[in-house]
Amino acid sequence: MSADSIRPVEKRYWLERFRFAIGYAGGAVIPFAVLLIVGSTLAWVAYDEYLLTEETEYKLLEAHARNVDVQVGDILSKIERLLNRIADERLQQGSLQQNAFAAVFDRYRDDIPELEALLMTDASGIIRASTDAAIIGRDVSREPYYTVHFDHGRPPRMFMSRPDKHLLSVTSVAFTLPIVGTNRQFLGIVGVTVGFRFFPSVVQEINADDSASMAVIFNRDGDLLFRRENQQKFFGSNIAATSRAFREHFNAGRLVTRHVFPSSRDGITRLYLVRDVGNSGLSLILTRQLNSVLAKLKRNILIYIVIFALTSVAVVSFAVVATRRKRKILADKDVLAAAKQRAEDASLAKSRFLAAASHDLRQPIYAQGLFLDVLSRTELTAQQRELLTSACAAGNASAELLSKLLDYSRLDAGVIEPQLQTFRLQPILNKLERECESQADAKGLIYRSRETELTVYSDPMLVELILRNLIFNAIRYTDRGGLLVACRKRGVQAVLEVWDTGIGIDRAHQQEIFREFHQLGNPERDRQKGLGLGLAIANGLARTLGHELTLASTPRRGSVFRLFLPIASGPSVDGLHQTRSQAQLLNVRVLVIDDDESVRVGMLCLLRDWGCECEAAESIEEALALARINVPDVVVSDYRLREQRTGLEAIAALRALLGARLPALLITGDTAPDRLREAQASGIPLLHKPVSPSQLYRGLATILPH
């Protein structure tokens, strides 16, 4: 085997290995990608659940904060209305009697049970009236709830003091309002104290079931009014310097802020919600421990980890199984590749043997046919004519066998191009009956053909070749009875049928007979029964045309082959096989190139009989030398020449010398598919050995200028 023929095989082999390596690498990447996707998905789900859990908790804290805002805001509004009413009555009456003062307080206390004491001072800060007699006359001019009104232009807004015990000896918060006369004269303050128990009553229900949560109420200065944990201990302490939530809230300047960070007191990470309580100057901090909030999420994350672990085990197991299977596939591929290589080598060797044998056999048969044709034109006795007829029959039989090889090789090479047209079937049936009837008569068979008026659309030459192979096959395998060739119309199709009364074919072998070189009932390989290519060629041509070829057969009763053709509606083409009359002399100068002397001599005799001036050469150099002396009108060259050269090279060299329009004809006895494709691609008319004189004449008449 040559290196050129090995390279494509090696290239395909390494290409397969490369593709498998890519697939093998893909087998490692895919499990990793699956784990990455699953892990990313679970991580995203966990993160999304975390955000949802956090958002849900914040919304719950905001709902609690709004509830505190409503309750505290409502109480503060009532306190402010109470103080405004006392201040208005003080201004209207000039002074307010103690009993009247107490009566107003009692009316409001039913509505505001958290109130402890009501007081009113003069402009100097002395308490002149109070519901608590113990504090009447006390000087509060230095207390913040008094000085804030006096030192800051006496704003008419209610002020809330820091919680202390100085006034009533109990922890309380004072709310005060200035009393301002018509000429903006400061007349004193009116105030009320609210006890400590008010704030726990507001926030005691917030997260009551979570001991880790906190609720804190403070004023704008950071003084704690309430802390659910250790209420008494922390009441009144200031968180402005220690609370990060306090600082970030007031720096943000918003009504509500959210925070997540460790507590400065115990280091536990918490969720913080800070909200201002209306315009009261109070703010509320609600917190939840993050671990408590995320308890359910942590359980879910554990489930996700288990899912990922199980997925990893499954994917890794699948990858291991897939890897082992791919290794086995690779080993099997190597075995199959080796077997395929051996089969291709055997097929290549077979094709080369057939091509070489066909070429070498065609040369003498071709020359014999030329000589016999020339001899038939001479004066012969009756006995000589009978011997000539026998010799021609033997030559035709050999030519038929070689034609089968050529037809099969042309199919294998893919150089058959159908020439579709509309034509009538009856002329083909008549022609085949004339050709085949004598063979049927020689075996004592009855040959019948039914006439048809159907017109079909296909390639008439290929349809004729299919029918000829089917008819020859029927005659070859029928010993008694006969055969029938008929055509039936079935819908939009014409069905050509070849019936015989031969040996029949068992159902198990009905597909095998369409394989090349396969014959039933011919173990001794009788040459008269053919090569086993007829049905393979018929089947291949039917596939090339896109027609259906079927078989129905019963052993010992006969068979019927059916070829389905599309019925045509247009006009048919007549005279499909008309050729130029051979009685007309050609009268041209022909240059013959062939490396076989007998073929050259036979060609010269035949061409001179047709009125041609002829010269013959066995090499390209000799042909060029002859062409320089006598310019030929046409070149007829064998395809395969000596020293691995071809007729294509010879014709190209002559056209380079004499002009590109030099008519040329190629003749080949080669059946190698690659050489047939090369010759077909050249565009030069190609005849296949053994070429009959009539075929050669038509070929020359076609390429010569009229």
mmCIF file of all heavy atoms in Angstrom, residues 345-371:
data_model
loop_
_atom_site.group_PDB
_atom_site.id
_atom_site.type_symbol
_atom_site.label_atom_id
_atom_site.label_comp_id
_atom_site.label_asym_id
_atom_site.label_seq_id
_atom_site.Cartn_x
_atom_site.Cartn_y
_atom_site.Cartn_z
ATOM 1 N N ASP A 345 -8.554 -2.104 3.334
ATOM 2 C CA ASP A 345 -7.396 -2.597 2.579
ATOM 3 C C ASP A 345 -7.818 -3.691 1.605
ATOM 4 O O ASP A 345 -7.382 -3.717 0.450
ATOM 5 C CB ASP A 345 -6.334 -3.130 3.547
ATOM 6 C CG ASP A 345 -5.720 -2.021 4.389
ATOM 7 O OD1 ASP A 345 -5.885 -0.846 4.014
ATOM 8 O OD2 ASP A 345 -5.096 -2.337 5.419
ATOM 9 N N ALA A 346 -8.681 -4.593 2.109
ATOM 10 C CA ALA A 346 -9.147 -5.678 1.237
ATOM 11 C C ALA A 346 -9.967 -5.135 0.074
ATOM 12 O O ALA A 346 -9.834 -5.578 -1.072
ATOM 13 C CB ALA A 346 -9.969 -6.680 2.048
ATOM 14 N N SER A 347 -10.859 -4.140 0.384
ATOM 15 C CA SER A 347 -11.682 -3.553 -0.672
ATOM 16 C C SER A 347 -10.823 -2.829 -1.689
ATOM 17 O O SER A 347 -11.060 -2.906 -2.898
ATOM 18 C CB SER A 347 -12.703 -2.592 -0.052
ATOM 19 O OG SER A 347 -13.471 -1.962 -1.051
ATOM 20 N N LEU A 348 -9.795 -2.101 -1.177
ATOM 21 C CA LEU A 348 -8.903 -1.380 -2.086
ATOM 22 C C LEU A 348 -8.132 -2.364 -2.962
ATOM 23 O O LEU A 348 -7.968 -2.145 -4.170
ATOM 24 C CB LEU A 348 -7.946 -0.505 -1.279
ATOM 25 C CG LEU A 348 -6.994 0.369 -2.069
ATOM 26 C CD1 LEU A 348 -7.775 1.354 -2.944
ATOM 27 C CD2 LEU A 348 -6.062 1.129 -1.137
ATOM 28 N N ALA A 349 -7.675 -3.439 -2.324
ATOM 29 C CA ALA A 349 -6.945 -4.442 -3.104
ATOM 30 C C ALA A 349 -7.848 -5.067 -4.163
ATOM 31 O O ALA A 349 -7.432 -5.308 -5.300
ATOM 32 C CB ALA A 349 -6.392 -5.517 -2.167
ATOM 33 N N LYS A 350 -9.123 -5.344 -3.756
ATOM 34 C CA LYS A 350 -10.072 -5.916 -4.715
ATOM 35 C C LYS A 350 -10.304 -4.958 -5.880
ATOM 36 O O LYS A 350 -10.303 -5.362 -7.048
ATOM 37 C CB LYS A 350 -11.390 -6.212 -4.012
ATOM 38 C CG LYS A 350 -12.458 -6.795 -4.919
ATOM 39 C CD LYS A 350 -13.813 -6.768 -4.264
ATOM 40 C CE LYS A 350 -14.361 -5.346 -4.228
ATOM 41 N NZ LYS A 350 -15.757 -5.305 -3.741
ATOM 42 N N SER A 351 -10.507 -3.657 -5.545
ATOM 43 C CA SER A 351 -10.777 -2.677 -6.602
ATOM 44 C C SER A 351 -9.591 -2.560 -7.548
ATOM 45 O O SER A 351 -9.758 -2.464 -8.767
ATOM 46 C CB SER A 351 -11.092 -1.317 -5.972
ATOM 47 O OG SER A 351 -12.262 -1.392 -5.195
ATOM 48 N N ARG A 352 -8.376 -2.575 -6.957
ATOM 49 C CA ARG A 352 -7.191 -2.451 -7.816
ATOM 50 C C ARG A 352 -7.013 -3.696 -8.692
ATOM 51 O O ARG A 352 -6.649 -3.592 -9.867
ATOM 52 C CB ARG A 352 -5.955 -2.238 -6.948
ATOM 53 C CG ARG A 352 -5.921 -0.859 -6.312
ATOM 54 C CD ARG A 352 -4.674 -0.672 -5.501
ATOM 55 N NE ARG A 352 -4.560 0.699 -5.030
ATOM 56 C CZ ARG A 352 -3.596 1.138 -4.234
ATOM 57 N NH1 ARG A 352 -2.669 0.300 -3.815
ATOM 58 N NH2 ARG A 352 -3.566 2.397 -3.855
ATOM 59 N N PHE A 353 -7.296 -4.851 -8.095
ATOM 60 C CA PHE A 353 -7.185 -6.076 -8.890
ATOM 61 C C PHE A 353 -8.190 -6.068 -10.033
ATOM 62 O O PHE A 353 -7.858 -6.387 -11.179
ATOM 63 C CB PHE A 353 -7.402 -7.298 -7.995
ATOM 64 C CG PHE A 353 -7.529 -8.575 -8.768
ATOM 65 C CD1 PHE A 353 -6.410 -9.192 -9.306
ATOM 66 C CD2 PHE A 353 -8.781 -9.146 -8.982
ATOM 67 C CE1 PHE A 353 -6.534 -10.367 -10.033
ATOM 68 C CE2 PHE A 353 -8.901 -10.315 -9.709
ATOM 69 C CZ PHE A 353 -7.779 -10.933 -10.242
ATOM 70 N N LEU A 354 -9.456 -5.711 -9.710
ATOM 71 C CA LEU A 354 -10.479 -5.682 -10.754
ATOM 72 C C LEU A 354 -10.135 -4.658 -11.826
ATOM 73 O O LEU A 354 -10.348 -4.889 -13.020
ATOM 74 C CB LEU A 354 -11.840 -5.355 -10.128
ATOM 75 C CG LEU A 354 -12.465 -6.463 -9.267
ATOM 76 C CD1 LEU A 354 -13.757 -5.955 -8.641
ATOM 77 C CD2 LEU A 354 -12.720 -7.704 -10.102
ATOM 78 N N ALA A 355 -9.627 -3.490 -11.378
ATOM 79 C CA ALA A 355 -9.282 -2.454 -12.357
ATOM 80 C C ALA A 355 -8.169 -2.929 -13.280
ATOM 81 O O ALA A 355 -8.233 -2.776 -14.500
ATOM 82 C CB ALA A 355 -8.865 -1.178 -11.628
ATOM 83 N N ALA A 356 -7.126 -3.523 -12.647
ATOM 84 C CA ALA A 356 -6.002 -3.988 -13.464
ATOM 85 C C ALA A 356 -6.432 -5.125 -14.383
ATOM 86 O O ALA A 356 -6.107 -5.145 -15.577
ATOM 87 C CB ALA A 356 -4.856 -4.431 -12.552
ATOM 88 N N ALA A 357 -7.175 -6.105 -13.820
ATOM 89 C CA ALA A 357 -7.621 -7.242 -14.629
ATOM 90 C C ALA A 357 -8.539 -6.782 -15.750
ATOM 91 O O ALA A 357 -8.432 -7.236 -16.901
ATOM 92 C CB ALA A 357 -8.336 -8.262 -13.741
ATOM 93 N N SER A 358 -9.458 -5.863 -15.424
ATOM 94 C CA SER A 358 -10.386 -5.371 -16.438
ATOM 95 C C SER A 358 -9.642 -4.659 -17.553
ATOM 96 O O SER A 358 -9.907 -4.863 -18.737
ATOM 97 C CB SER A 358 -11.404 -4.429 -15.787
ATOM 98 O OG SER A 358 -12.219 -3.835 -16.764
ATOM 99 N N HIS A 359 -8.657 -3.817 -17.166
ATOM 100 C CA HIS A 359 -7.912 -3.079 -18.185
ATOM 101 C C HIS A 359 -7.121 -4.030 -19.072
ATOM 102 O O HIS A 359 -7.136 -3.930 -20.309
ATOM 103 C CB HIS A 359 -6.975 -2.084 -17.510
ATOM 104 C CG HIS A 359 -6.170 -1.274 -18.490
ATOM 105 N ND1 HIS A 359 -4.944 -1.703 -18.956
ATOM 106 C CD2 HIS A 359 -6.423 -0.085 -19.092
ATOM 107 C CE1 HIS A 359 -4.471 -0.805 -19.804
ATOM 108 N NE2 HIS A 359 -5.348 0.193 -19.899
ATOM 109 N N ASP A 360 -6.442 -4.981 -18.432
ATOM 110 C CA ASP A 360 -5.591 -5.885 -19.211
ATOM 111 C C ASP A 360 -6.420 -6.799 -20.107
ATOM 112 O O ASP A 360 -5.979 -7.168 -21.205
ATOM 113 C CB ASP A 360 -4.727 -6.721 -18.264
ATOM 114 C CG ASP A 360 -3.723 -5.848 -17.511
ATOM 115 O OD1 ASP A 360 -3.480 -4.711 -17.970
ATOM 116 O OD2 ASP A 360 -3.210 -6.286 -16.466
ATOM 117 N N LEU A 361 -7.630 -7.176 -19.629
ATOM 118 C CA LEU A 361 -8.493 -8.030 -20.448
ATOM 119 C C LEU A 361 -9.151 -7.252 -21.578
ATOM 120 O O LEU A 361 -9.393 -7.791 -22.665
ATOM 121 C CB LEU A 361 -9.562 -8.693 -19.577
ATOM 122 C CG LEU A 361 -9.073 -9.796 -18.625
ATOM 123 C CD1 LEU A 361 -10.196 -10.219 -17.698
ATOM 124 C CD2 LEU A 361 -8.566 -10.990 -19.423
ATOM 125 N N ARG A 362 -9.462 -6.003 -21.318
ATOM 126 C CA ARG A 362 -10.160 -5.206 -22.328
ATOM 127 C C ARG A 362 -9.283 -4.933 -23.552
ATOM 128 O O ARG A 362 -9.787 -4.796 -24.664
ATOM 129 C CB ARG A 362 -10.643 -3.883 -21.724
ATOM 130 C CG ARG A 362 -11.834 -4.017 -20.811
ATOM 131 C CD ARG A 362 -12.126 -2.696 -20.097
ATOM 132 N NE ARG A 362 -13.163 -2.878 -19.095
ATOM 133 C CZ ARG A 362 -14.468 -2.771 -19.334
ATOM 134 N NH1 ARG A 362 -14.878 -2.500 -20.553
ATOM 135 N NH2 ARG A 362 -15.342 -2.959 -18.367
ATOM 136 N N GLN A 363 -7.993 -4.785 -23.325
ATOM 137 C CA GLN A 363 -7.105 -4.442 -24.438
ATOM 138 C C GLN A 363 -7.195 -5.469 -25.571
ATOM 139 O O GLN A 363 -7.509 -5.110 -26.709
ATOM 140 C CB GLN A 363 -5.664 -4.314 -23.936
ATOM 141 C CG GLN A 363 -5.433 -3.117 -23.009
ATOM 142 C CD GLN A 363 -5.540 -1.798 -23.745
ATOM 143 O OE1 GLN A 363 -6.650 -1.268 -23.910
ATOM 144 N NE2 GLN A 363 -4.411 -1.284 -24.212
ATOM 145 N N PRO A 364 -6.953 -6.764 -25.293
ATOM 146 C CA PRO A 364 -7.051 -7.722 -26.418
ATOM 147 C C PRO A 364 -8.473 -7.892 -26.932
ATOM 148 O O PRO A 364 -8.673 -8.087 -28.132
ATOM 149 C CB PRO A 364 -6.519 -9.034 -25.808
ATOM 150 C CG PRO A 364 -6.671 -8.873 -24.334
ATOM 151 C CD PRO A 364 -6.463 -7.416 -24.057
ATOM 152 N N ILE A 365 -9.462 -7.829 -26.041
ATOM 153 C CA ILE A 365 -10.850 -7.971 -26.500
ATOM 154 C C ILE A 365 -11.230 -6.795 -27.389
ATOM 155 O O ILE A 365 -11.933 -6.941 -28.403
ATOM 156 C CB ILE A 365 -11.797 -8.092 -25.297
ATOM 157 C CG1 ILE A 365 -11.551 -9.417 -24.573
ATOM 158 C CG2 ILE A 365 -13.252 -7.980 -25.724
ATOM 159 C CD1 ILE A 365 -12.356 -9.574 -23.303
ATOM 160 N N TYR A 366 -10.757 -5.592 -26.997
ATOM 161 C CA TYR A 366 -11.024 -4.396 -27.798
ATOM 162 C C TYR A 366 -10.378 -4.538 -29.173
ATOM 163 O O TYR A 366 -11.008 -4.299 -30.220
ATOM 164 C CB TYR A 366 -10.501 -3.185 -27.049
ATOM 165 C CG TYR A 366 -10.643 -1.883 -27.792
ATOM 166 C CD1 TYR A 366 -11.778 -1.597 -28.563
ATOM 167 C CD2 TYR A 366 -9.643 -0.913 -27.732
ATOM 168 C CE1 TYR A 366 -11.906 -0.391 -29.229
ATOM 169 C CE2 TYR A 366 -9.765 0.293 -28.392
ATOM 170 C CZ TYR A 366 -10.886 0.552 -29.133
ATOM 171 O OH TYR A 366 -11.010 1.747 -29.790
ATOM 172 N N ALA A 367 -9.106 -4.942 -29.171
ATOM 173 C CA ALA A 367 -8.411 -5.118 -30.454
ATOM 174 C C ALA A 367 -9.082 -6.195 -31.285
ATOM 175 O O ALA A 367 -9.253 -6.071 -32.512
ATOM 176 C CB ALA A 367 -6.943 -5.476 -30.197
ATOM 177 N N GLN A 368 -9.481 -7.306 -30.634
ATOM 178 C CA GLN A 368 -10.171 -8.386 -31.341
ATOM 179 C C GLN A 368 -11.439 -7.879 -32.003
ATOM 180 O O GLN A 368 -11.735 -8.212 -33.170
ATOM 181 C CB GLN A 368 -10.499 -9.503 -30.339
ATOM 182 C CG GLN A 368 -11.386 -10.608 -30.915
ATOM 183 C CD GLN A 368 -11.807 -11.583 -29.837
ATOM 184 O OE1 GLN A 368 -10.966 -12.167 -29.167
ATOM 185 N NE2 GLN A 368 -13.105 -11.748 -29.676
ATOM 186 N N GLY A 369 -12.203 -7.045 -31.289
ATOM 187 C CA GLY A 369 -13.430 -6.514 -31.865
ATOM 188 C C GLY A 369 -13.160 -5.648 -33.075
ATOM 189 O O GLY A 369 -13.912 -5.684 -34.070
ATOM 190 N N LEU A 370 -12.080 -4.843 -33.022
ATOM 191 C CA LEU A 370 -11.736 -4.002 -34.170
ATOM 192 C C LEU A 370 -11.378 -4.852 -35.387
ATOM 193 O O LEU A 370 -11.825 -4.595 -36.515
ATOM 194 C CB LEU A 370 -10.571 -3.074 -33.798
ATOM 195 C CG LEU A 370 -10.836 -2.066 -32.677
ATOM 196 C CD1 LEU A 370 -9.571 -1.278 -32.368
ATOM 197 C CD2 LEU A 370 -11.953 -1.098 -33.072
ATOM 198 N N PHE A 371 -10.552 -5.876 -35.142
ATOM 199 C CA PHE A 371 -10.149 -6.737 -36.260
ATOM 200 C C PHE A 371 -11.343 -7.485 -36.829
ATOM 201 O O PHE A 371 -11.483 -7.629 -38.057
ATOM 202 C CB PHE A 371 -9.078 -7.731 -35.798
ATOM 203 C CG PHE A 371 -7.729 -7.095 -35.559
ATOM 204 C CD1 PHE A 371 -7.056 -7.289 -34.365
ATOM 205 C CD2 PHE A 371 -7.128 -6.299 -36.534
ATOM 206 C CE1 PHE A 371 -5.821 -6.713 -34.148
ATOM 207 C CE2 PHE A 371 -5.888 -5.713 -36.319
ATOM 208 C CZ PHE A 371 -5.228 -5.915 -35.115
#
